[in-house]
Amino acid sequence: MKLSYIKISGIRAILALAIVFSTQSCDKIEPGEDGTYTVYSGSVGEWEDGEPVADHTQRVWIEKYTGPRCTNCPTADESIHDITAQPQYSNKVIATAIHATNIFGTPIGDSPNLRTEEGDAWCLNFLGSSAALPSALLNRQKDNNSIEVIQDFSALSGKVNAILTQSATVAIALSSHFDSQADKISITTNIELLDDVADDLTLTVLIIEDSIVATQRMPDGSENSAYIHNHVLRGMVTDKWGFDIDSPKTRGAARKVTLRASLPEGCIMEHCQTVAFVSDKSSRSIYNVAISPIL
């Protein structure tokens, strides 16, 4: 369930609460310190005026499609780790492993199933029904008219650096914490346009998990039952294609939204992080991305 909030007060609150109770089951309804109510529902959060974002770093999202039955995927993992482990890429390169397809993504033995419906849908959309894995996208950037798919991971570092040298058009800041009262993860995203944009923008938020032990087929054909899978897509907070950012398309526009979500089933919160990215609604190309621990 994708959860977020709206705020209402006074008689409107009473009427709204009555409507909510009559139409759906809510997670929690209670007055805040300011006397308003927060109604958690299945709809997206409401955008608010935001503050300027201090960090204007251009970041790269490595969107790697993988699976436990993909014999070449461990080699790709090593290439990605070689980049993300370097200090100069700290807070600049964010990786997400998306387990997908029946051929490659089906778990081996009694290992956990790390596939998601959204990951399979992305894979089909970007790579087609006969996807060859491992494959990666970098900010879903285009090569001519098509989104560039990287399968030669030896070239990954150069392509990452090419994006990092660009100036950011959108600044994004992300923070996440566990709200014990609501028993939800609270995720706040701030965005600021650093230049005018012509595109309609969307925000996508997801949850990834590290340190998952699951059997992996290795390059030599053997099966490693102690393989550790990191930065694995475990669930979406928003729709897989995000939701509209109601910001003017002019430089300096700043907006903020807070969403709430349950931890995906089977996840260990201490191993999880949230990832958010702003993208072009039409082309799907990603302007910028951010990552946050869950505190």
Side-chain angles (χ1 to χ4, degrees):
M1 183 178 184
K2 302 171 180 67
L3 298 165
S4 50
Y5 74 98
I6 56 177
K7 284 196 173 182
I8 50 182
S9 59
I11 294 175
R12 290 175 57 208
I14 297 172
L15 292 174
L17 295 181
I19 293 171
V20 169
F21 277 125
S22 66
T23 58
Q24 61 184 358
S25 173
C26 290
D27 294 283
K28 201 171 189 70
I29 300 175
E30 59 189 3
E33 293 181 355
D34 60 357
T36 63
Y37 282 80
T38 300
V39 181
Y40 298 106
S41 69
S43 62
V44 298
E46 288 197 339
W47 288 96
E48 308 173 54
D49 289 336
E51 298 294 329
V53 177
D55 187 351
H56 293 179
T57 300
Q58 175 64 61
R59 304 184 190 91
V60 177
W61 189 41
I62 302 178
E63 179 181 359
K64 189 199 76 167
Y65 290 90
T66 186
R69 297 176 183 270
C70 168
T71 55
N72 290 323
C73 286
T75 303
D77 286 345
E78 291 177 5
S79 297
I80 293 172
H81 177 74
D82 287 345
I83 293 173
T84 57
Q86 296 181 48
Q88 67 265 33
Y89 293 120
S90 177
N91 193 39
K92 292 183 179 180
V93 180
I94 299 164
T96 299
I98 301 168
H99 289 236
T101 79
N102 289 327
I103 295 174
F104 298 110
T106 301
I108 299 172
D110 59 358
S111 289
N113 185 1
L114 301 180
R115 288 171 66 186
T116 60
E117 292 181 7
E118 294 87 352
D120 277 337
W122 280 343
C123 185
L124 180 62
N125 183 82
F126 295 123
L127 304 179
S129 58
S130 57
L133 304 187
S135 293
L137 315 180
L138 300 182
N139 285 8
R140 296 179 180 172
Q141 289 202 336
K142 288 194 171 184
D143 181 14
N144 295 320
N145 293 323
S146 300
I147 289 179
E148 183 179 16
V149 178
I150 297 170
Q151 293 178 319
D152 178 6
F153 282 78
S154 66
L156 192 63
S157 179
K159 292 181 179 295
V160 164
N161 285 326
I163 296 175
L164 293 179
T165 59
Q166 300 171 10
S167 297
T169 300
V170 176
I172 179 170
L174 182 67
S175 62
S176 307
H177 72 275
F178 182 71
D179 185 335
S180 58
Q181 186 177 25
D183 195 29
K184 303 288 179 186
I185 302 167
S186 181
I187 305 156
T188 298
T189 307
N190 288 269
I191 67 160
E192 180 189 359
L193 300 191
L194 304 178
D195 205 346
D196 295 347
V197 298
D199 312 316
D200 291 328
L201 302 180
T202 59
L203 174 71
T204 305
V205 182
L206 53 101
I207 295 173
I208 62 174
E209 185 177 16
D210 290 327
S211 305
I212 302 172
V213 179
T215 301
Q216 174 68 47
R217 196 160 288 164
M218 304 302 289
D220 63 2
S222 64
E223 293 182 355
N224 181 355
S225 61
Y227 194 86
I228 297 176
H229 298 261
N230 288 315
H231 44 256
V232 178
L233 172 66
R234 299 292 271 148
M236 303 297 301
V237 178
T238 64
D239 178 80
K240 61 182 175 293
W241 300 121
F243 68 97
D244 293 347
I245 298 172
D246 69 348
S247 170
K249 300 179 182 180
T250 54
R251 179 177 180 175
R255 301 294 279 161
K256 176 179 75 173
V257 68
T258 296
L259 305 173
R260 298 228 174 161
S262 299
L263 190 70
E265 185 176 356
C267 289
I268 299 173
M269 187 166 63
E270 291 77 10
H271 296 168
C272 290
Q273 297 170 293
T274 58
V275 174
F277 60 81
V278 173
S279 57
D280 178 341
K281 185 175 182 178
S282 177
S283 71
R284 311 294 188 196
S285 295
I286 293 171
Y287 279 90
N288 215 342
V289 60
I291 191 169
S292 169
I294 301 171
L295 303 176

